[in-house]
Amino acid sequence: MSRADHKRLFLPGPVEVRQEILHAQTKPMIGHRMPEFAALFARLQDKLKQSFFTESRVYISGSSGSGLWEGAIRCGIRDEGRVLHLTGGAFSERWAQVSRANGKQVDCIQVDWGRAHTPDMVAEALDKQAYDAVCVVHNETSTGVTNPIEAIGAVVSRYPDTLFFVDTVSGFLGTELRVDDWGIDIALTSSQKAFALPPGVAFAAVSDRLLDRAKSIENRGYYFDFLTLEKSLQKNNTPSTPPIALMFAADAQLDAILEEGMEARWSRHRQMRDATHKWALSRGFGLYAQDGYRSDTVTTVANTRGMDVAAMDEFMQRECGIAMDKGYGVIKGQTFRLPHMGDVDMKMLTEVLGGLDAFLESAQ
Ligand SMILES: *Cc1c(COP(=O)(O)O)cnc(C)c1O
């Protein structure tokens, strides 16, 4: 495919990756047992800790984010223990499924899709039953809901034996997250969402408490065993061959991100969110997510106009060279998503919204 044929991605993952970042992957290869790799790993460690706001450590995994879902459960939930999942969207429900697939005893606080979880719901559940961990999705990419992680973390911290697990796959680097201050024991993420890297590498900030828990569990699995990852990390290394080209890309992207500044980056995402809301409401659409919990990185638009989303995507690809989302899971078509995440800026967003206006006019 030539560059001219490239459809720019306006998808909530994988997202469009800047040319400069794609190019960083083409550096000459290095071996992961060479000192050059240890230096790369150490540089990444420093920048990742800054961006997760943690003093502890950040594991780098040659997998997508789903692998770290499994790692968190295998290393954090004891055989006799139970895990509480806060569910209400495609991804939070799938994580609970991962826990079941690993033979864990799972309870869920299920909310209607589009609703957020509240600290009160979590307090009530933890008063009734002891849990090894509470699992929550920071930014539910299917519904466009951002959960109040800081407030839920404050509740979980009142229960010393309960760890706090956060999936921030589509939140990290697009909306505020402070791992240490918010009492998070694992914050896991993928590369292909607000990080704006190609897919294939995942990251997790992990606390000492979670490592202590892992020591008490015999069968933690192999590939995502955090104690093994920790042993290698101490030597600025990984247990098996890492995605080195993607790590070159992450190195370059983190430089750009830290130069932009975390607060500035969050604020850019908020501005794009506001512009997207304004567009959707003024065109007669609704916003699917509950007011007060609407995501800074992705807006799930309620398709109250009954727009033909497949025709919209075709139009956008043909006329603007942009590939669009058509909604996710059971709310596909009934909703569609406008992902204002990663390196999307006002210029790109304006172009997309202008294209959508042209489609709406042409479809009348
Ligand atoms: C995309 C996504 C996942 C799955 O991540 P992969 O990297 O595809 O495994 C998990 N959680 C959320 C919130 C997501 O948006």
Side-chain angles (χ1 to χ4, degrees), residues 6-251:
H6 171 64
K7 302 275 191 323
R8 280 173 297 156
L9 306 182
F10 201 68
L11 306 174
V15 302
E16 186 69 14
V17 179
R18 287 184 294 127
Q19 213 38 250
E20 187 190 331
I21 300 306
L22 289 174
H23 187 71
Q25 296 178 97
T26 66
K27 281 194 186 160
M29 197 41 54
I30 57 176
H32 65 298
R33 304 302 184 218
M34 290 163 64
E36 288 84 350
F37 180 82
L40 168 67
F41 191 97
R43 275 202 308 280
L44 281 172
Q45 206 43 224
D46 179 49
K47 293 181 236 181
L48 287 165
K49 280 160 72 174
Q50 283 182 58
S51 36
F52 275 103
F53 292 86
T54 185
E55 298 281 320
S56 58
R57 63 190 64 68
V58 181
Y59 298 135
I60 300 173
S61 167
S63 70
S64 80
S66 304
L68 293 172
W69 272 345
E70 187 152 279
I73 297 306
R74 293 295 296 256
C75 294
I77 313 300
R78 293 170 286 206
D79 289 342
E80 69 286 4
R82 299 187 78 82
V83 55
L84 179 66
H85 279 270
L86 310 190
T87 51
F91 294 104
S92 52
E93 289 168 20
R94 204 185 292 169
W95 195 5
Q97 200 50 43
V98 169
S99 290
R100 288 186 203 101
N102 279 286
K104 306 299 179 185
Q105 303 178 73
V106 176
D107 291 328
C108 293
I109 302 178
Q110 176 77 28
V111 295
D112 288 340
W113 281 38
R115 308 290 296 180
H117 286 87
T118 65
D120 287 349
M121 294 175 192
V122 179
E124 197 185 321
L126 293 180
D127 276 341
K128 279 198 217 126
Q129 168 75 47
Y131 288 101
D132 276 357
V134 172
C135 297
V136 60
V137 170
H138 181 198
N139 190 74
E140 180 44 83
T141 322
S142 56
T143 60
V145 166
T146 298
N147 276 304
I149 299 301
E150 183 178 14
I152 294 173
V155 169
V156 179
S157 71
R158 302 205 297 257
Y159 300 81
D161 290 333
T162 306
L163 302 177
F164 188 36
F165 292 178
V166 178
D167 164 329
T168 185
V169 170
S170 64
F172 178 62
L173 297 173
T175 191
E176 186 173 12
L177 177 83
R178 296 178 189 273
V179 167
D180 289 358
D181 287 353
W182 295 0
I184 297 172
D185 292 294
I186 183 168
L188 63 91
T189 196
S190 312
S191 51
Q192 75 280 11
K193 309 268 171 99
F195 211 150
L197 293 171
V201 61
F203 306 88
V206 169
S207 73
D208 290 341
R209 284 185 353 135
L210 174 48
L211 292 186
D212 286 341
R213 170 69 60 76
K215 287 175 193 150
S216 74
I217 296 172
E218 196 186 333
N219 294 307
R220 299 180 299 275
Y222 180 83
Y223 193 68
F224 300 106
D225 178 7
F226 293 163
L227 296 183
T228 310
L229 290 171
E230 178 64 19
K231 226 168 124 189
S232 294
L233 177 133
Q234 294 298 335
K235 297 177 286 184
N236 284 319
N237 219 306
T238 54
S240 55
T241 317
I244 297 171
L246 285 164
M247 292 169 72
F248 287 146
D251 195 29

